[in-house]
Amino acid sequence: NETRCDMILDLLADQKMTARQIAYRLGFTDLNAVRPRLTEMKKDGRVRITGRTKDENTNKSVSIYEKVEHYRCRDTEKKYKS
């Protein structure tokens, strides 16, 4: 089973996206389905914010994310369990 983190990293493998774009692409309408994972992955250095853009729905400034490293979330989780 692929984790939500892995699904997000797969989307960010070759493109930069906002949280809303990621959520919608994964079939979620609630941004809380991806925002906590993005926060965790940013903290761990797996993704980074590369800029800002205007959200189409809210017209607010939002972060654009990109993938940093080429490893799976499960690899990091195993490291922490050791």
Side-chain angles (χ1 to χ4, degrees), residues 2-31:
E2 198 172 30
T3 66
R4 189 163 302 168
C5 178
D6 288 327
M7 292 168 28
I8 292 168
L9 289 176
D10 286 345
L11 282 179
L12 294 176
D14 59 356
Q15 60 188 319
K16 300 173 185 178
M17 302 176 82
T18 66
R20 184 178 305 279
Q21 291 168 330
I22 294 166
Y24 285 3
R25 200 76 166 287
L26 293 176
F28 300 110
T29 55
D30 184 355
L31 298 187

Side-chain angles (χ1 to χ4, degrees), residues 63-79:
S63 298
I64 301 170
Y65 294 89
E66 76 175 351
K67 184 176 178 180
V68 175
E69 306 246 357
H70 296 285
Y71 60 82
R72 311 302 291 174
C73 294
R74 287 184 296 275
D75 296 336
T76 303
E77 291 164 5
K78 288 176 190 171
K79 181 175 70 175

Side-chain angles (χ1 to χ4, degrees), residues 54-67:
K54 291 277 185 187
D55 183 279
E56 299 170 357
N57 293 352
T58 64
N59 206 33
K60 293 183 179 180
S61 180
V62 295
S63 298
I64 301 170
Y65 294 89
E66 76 175 351
K67 184 176 178 180

